[in-house]
Amino acid sequence: MPASIINIADHRRPETIAELLRDARIARAFDFIDSSQSRFTAELIRICEIPAPPFKERERGNYFAARFTELGLSEVHTDSEGNVIGFYRGESEEPLLVMSAHLDTVFPEGTDVKVRRVGSRLCAPGIADDGAGLAALVGLIQALNAAEIRLRGSIAFVATVGEEGEGDLRGVRHLFSEGRLAGRVSAFVSFDGTTIEFITHQALGSRRYRVTLKGPGGHSWGDFGVVNPVHALGRVIARMADYRAPLEPRTTYNIGRIEGGESVNVIPQSATMDVDLRSVSELELSRLEEFLLAAVDRAVVDENAVRAASGAKLQAELTMIGNRPSGETPRDSLLVRTALEASRAMGVTPILNRASTDSNIPISLGVPAITIGAGGVSSDSHRLSEWYDPVGREIGYKRALLLALGMAGIV
Ligand SMILES: [Zn+2]
């Protein structure tokens, strides 16, 4: 455990949220936030309209590197994984708070990311997840600048890569394992989406597999009797679909993608599926994982038995394409308490919850971490119909500012 973590836990910050609210500089920052709504919306649109498909976040990352520099952050750099980092330096390096949001979207290359306005709504894929979070980073830096706030510690603003899907948290993993910040972070806050009530302090564990079944293939008529990977995959799916996942502890599974075969009259040579397994309990997650592995084995055995006459056998390949650890930042940690206080100060009734986000990695390493919404209202995340409405966004930005200053301290 890095020394800085012990440090922040041992030292009560001198300013409570109530004290911060009485500070004239905070009032200035709040005024700036209230009067900058159209500026924040313009920023969000600019960010959203730079495509950032999985593993192709570079262009949006370049924009952030330029933006961080323009906004006066120091030591702006892009690390070898693609995370963009810049510092708002205070009197000292510690405590070092990371404020982050993820650059990547779930949408493939070529997706139309042009923002359409429908009434007060901004419609575009990725507008809220995580356009809203990324825009909040910029808004927060602008508010700190506008009120000329001097910190006791420091804040590292980080736009991460690879949060979604097969990115498997590669950005934040790198940040905490090899990056320049590794071992130095006192607390980590990720903006993800908009919902202001949720403070995610528990990491939802997940495992993801790609299952590929292979056979010799052949003609549907001439070679009938040969093992069929699609048929076998169907056996796996049928078994999985009947799995009785417990409601408590909440456990879920999803076969989210299947693929295979060439044509209606061709016995396929391969069939593939991607499976997502989640549970708040490591035990249930392992149980579910065992079930999947057994279902694959069983399907291969059954298909080979039914088509034994052909002599050909199916091969199964299982690749783990995602593995997110679970864990939690204690309720009574300084970070969670400060987030709760800052929320209540803004009239928000906070709800502590669990999800799978960039915070999974620091949480699993014992670094206090939470994920919060950036404010505003949104729906249809991960769908082309995603939309965002900036109504109430200022509350999210002010809450985030209070949280950041409560953690980093002001002088
Ligand atoms: Zn997200």
Side-chain angles (χ1 to χ4, degrees):
M1 184 180 280
S4 57
I5 296 171
I6 295 159
N7 230 331
I8 198 166
D10 286 348
H11 291 95
R12 275 295 301 166
R13 68 192 187 286
E15 303 84 10
T16 61
I17 295 297
E19 281 162 352
L20 286 172
L21 286 168
R22 287 196 293 273
D23 191 297
R25 290 166 295 175
I26 308 302
R28 266 210 306 280
F30 278 16
D31 286 344
F32 172 82
I33 290 169
D34 284 328
S35 62
S36 302
Q37 292 303 309
S38 54
R39 184 200 310 238
F40 296 152
T41 295
E43 180 72 45
L44 171 61
I45 293 171
R46 255 198 309 276
I47 293 165
C48 184
E49 291 185 345
I50 305 169
F55 297 93
K56 288 171 184 161
E57 302 99 329
R58 181 178 292 244
E59 195 188 343
R60 191 179 279 184
N62 289 342
Y63 172 78
F64 265 85
R67 204 75 183 95
F68 281 175
T69 303
E70 259 168 41
L71 293 168
L73 296 190
S74 59
E75 299 150 75
V76 174
H77 66 284
T78 302
D79 70 19
S80 61
E81 194 68 38
N83 300 306
V84 182
I85 303 162
F87 292 86
Y88 192 96
R89 287 268 181 218
E91 278 189 331
S92 87
E93 160 90 14
E94 289 181 12
L96 177 60
L97 173 68
V98 170
M99 300 290 283
S100 75
H102 66 86
L103 288 165
D104 56 317
T105 69
V106 295
F107 303 101
E109 226 167 354
T111 302
D112 182 5
V113 289
K114 184 99 187 109
V115 178
R116 289 176 304 112
R117 284 177 186 264
V118 180
S120 60
R121 286 182 183 180
L122 303 167
C123 308
I127 187 84
D129 182 13
D130 194 19
L134 290 165
L137 294 182
V138 173
L140 208 55
I141 300 165
Q142 289 172 325
L144 290 167
N145 283 339
E148 295 174 24
I149 289 171
R150 296 203 49 219
L151 301 177
R152 183 174 313 106
S154 294
I155 302 176
F157 286 91
V158 182
T160 64
V161 294
E163 193 274 342
E164 299 284 8
E166 288 167 38
D168 202 27
L169 311 183
R170 66 189 176 94
V172 82
R173 254 180 237 276
H174 179 86
L175 200 69
F176 280 91
S177 59
E178 297 157 60
R180 225 187 277 177
L181 293 178
R184 291 163 57 200
V185 177
S186 314
F188 177 91
V189 174
S190 161
F191 291 109
D192 208 337
T194 57
T195 313
I196 197 168
E197 285 80 11
F198 291 126
I199 295 172
T200 302
H201 71 121
Q202 296 173 303
L204 171 60
S206 69
R207 306 224 174 108
R208 290 167 182 175
Y209 280 93
R210 175 158 300 153
V211 179
T212 301
L213 303 179
K214 290 182 174 168
H219 191 280
S220 62
W221 172 260
D223 297 309
F224 183 70
V226 164
V227 286
N228 185 319
V230 169
H231 294 189
L233 196 67
R235 295 175 194 273
V236 182
I237 294 170
R239 253 198 197 94
M240 281 304 291
D242 282 337
Y243 185 80
R244 303 285 285 265
L247 291 172
E248 197 56 51
R250 185 164 157 81
T251 303
T252 66
Y253 55 90
N254 182 54
I255 297 168
R257 200 183 70 84
I258 61 170
E259 185 184 294
E262 290 78 37
S263 178
V264 68
N265 60 348
V266 176
I267 298 171
Q269 289 185 294
S270 91
T272 297
M273 68 174 186
D274 291 350
V275 192
D276 173 68
L277 313 174
R278 301 183 185 219
S279 181
V280 302
S281 147
E282 283 290 329
L283 178 68
E284 283 300 334
L285 190 55
S286 300
R287 193 171 277 161
L288 180 58
E289 183 180 26
E290 281 305 310
F291 186 88
L292 168 68
L293 304 184
V296 173
D297 282 346
R298 185 72 190 280
V300 168
V301 167
D302 288 354
E303 178 69 12
N304 284 341
V306 170
R307 311 284 175 221
S310 75
K313 284 201 169 9
L314 280 180
Q315 306 293 323
E317 284 170 17
L318 277 100
T319 316
M320 193 185 256
I321 55 173
N323 182 12
R324 301 180 173 206
S326 53
E328 72 176 85
T329 300
R331 267 165 186 269
D332 61 357
S333 64
L334 180 62
L335 180 63
V336 173
R337 280 187 288 125
T338 307
L340 291 170
E341 258 181 73
S343 304
R344 292 191 186 111
M346 295 314 305
V348 175
T349 305
I351 302 165
L352 292 173
N353 82 334
R354 186 190 290 267
S356 181
T357 69
D358 265 348
S359 289
N360 281 48
I361 298 299
I363 287 174
S364 74
L365 296 171
V367 177
I370 55 171
T371 297
I372 57 175
V377 178
S378 66
S379 181
D380 292 16
S381 140
H382 293 195
R383 279 179 259 167
L384 294 173
S385 53
E386 185 172 352
W387 60 264
Y388 171 79
D389 189 325
V391 62
R393 171 176 52 195
E394 67 285 356
I395 299 170
Y397 282 26
K398 290 175 188 175
R399 190 263 302 262
L401 184 76
L402 288 175
L403 170 59
L405 299 181
M407 294 306 292
I410 56 172
V411 287

